[in-house]
Amino acid sequence: MTATLDSTDLALVPGRVLLDEVVGVRGPWSTVVAAGDVLTIVDLHGNQAVDTLVYDAHDHTARYSAAATVAGQGNLFLTTGSVLRDADGGPLMTLVADEVGIHDTVGGACSQESNTLRYGHHTKHQHACVENFLIEGAKWGLGKRDLVSNINFFMNVPVEADGTLGIVDGLSAPGKRLAIRAERDVLVLVSNCPQINNPCNGFDPTPVRMIVTRPRGA
């Protein structure tokens, strides 16, 4: 199974393994990825959304900008070759390999408030991505004002011609991977999405695996 395979076999960009961790069901995660190193994200069981934010590790005011990223590539969706940019257009990370083909930039992160609005007050108690970001971000001195529109890796959010968004079954499958290379030292903040009210996680959140490698010769 993918969960038990050696990290050197799973990493999409070969190299020395610096980190190999499993993010638990509904849990947060973070790490600093040094410039030139590559983070491989493994969708262990398939159809699991991985909400992600990226910050300059030395200046958290320089952070992922959905607007600059979309404008820079002329495409709403991320795949191989997509550059994650800050508000000034500076590159933070580059998606260098992708086994899924489409990743969302516009669906945002679920919160207890949005759950209540969309699915009813009975969902108020449910843990959500914004809470994960706040819990994990606090370890790095980040607060609510530091949260911006995030990436949803592995999440399928089609956009209709009239601008209507949909959250539908994902395109990923067990063991599917993507790899993003740090273009500078970056802090990567993740919420392994706990949403159970729409199909973004197949109504059954599952773990994901994070592997950081330093490519040979780097």
Side-chain angles (χ1 to χ4, degrees):
M1 290 182 60
T2 307
T4 58
L5 286 176
D6 189 86
S7 52
T8 56
D9 296 322
L10 276 179
L12 273 172
V13 177
R16 179 164 61 94
V17 175
L18 305 178
L19 178 148
D20 180 7
E21 295 179 351
V22 171
V23 186
V25 176
R26 301 180 174 88
W29 178 88
S30 61
T31 196
V32 170
V33 182
D37 291 349
V38 178
L39 170 63
T40 296
I41 305 177
V42 187
D43 188 2
L44 292 174
H45 298 276
N47 208 17
Q48 174 61 41
V50 181
D51 291 39
T52 305
L53 290 168
V54 182
Y55 302 81
D56 185 302
H58 308 292
D59 177 9
H60 294 161
T61 65
R63 59 195 68 165
Y64 168 75
S65 166
T69 298
V70 168
Q73 67 175 8
N75 193 323
L76 279 177
F77 304 106
L78 304 177
T79 189
T80 304
S82 294
V83 179
L84 312 183
R85 300 184 181 276
D86 64 23
D88 293 326
L92 292 163
M93 305 187 82
T94 300
L95 191 51
V96 294
D98 176 20
E99 295 181 333
V100 177
I102 292 179
H103 304 275
D104 170 61
T105 62
V106 296
C110 60
S111 67
Q112 290 179 327
E113 292 80 6
S114 67
N115 281 345
T116 299
L117 180 64
R118 293 172 177 168
Y119 309 115
H121 287 281
H122 66 283
T123 66
K124 174 66 176 176
H125 71 284
Q126 293 175 1
H127 195 60
C129 285
V130 168
E131 285 68 44
N132 270 345
F133 282 145
L134 291 173
I135 290 168
E136 194 68 16
K139 299 177 182 178
W140 305 92
L142 299 172
K144 201 160 192 176
R145 67 179 181 179
D146 298 303
L147 301 188
V148 293
S149 296
N150 58 284
I151 302 158
N152 291 306
F153 285 123
F154 302 115
M155 188 168 162
N156 187 16
V157 183
V159 181
E160 304 298 335
D162 64 357
T164 302
L165 303 181
I167 298 176
V168 299
D169 287 338
L171 302 174
S172 187
K176 292 290 187 181
R177 302 166 294 172
L178 63 89
I180 41 177
R181 181 184 65 228
E183 303 302 341
R184 58 179 115 163
D185 296 347
V186 293
L187 167 64
V188 180
L189 188 63
V190 159
S191 169
N192 191 25
C193 184
Q195 184 59 253
I196 59 173
N197 299 291
N198 68 49
C200 71
N201 300 318
F203 302 100
D204 182 23
T206 53
V208 296
R209 189 168 172 180
M210 317 296 262
I211 302 167
V212 177
T213 54
R214 180 157 295 163
R216 297 185 182 101

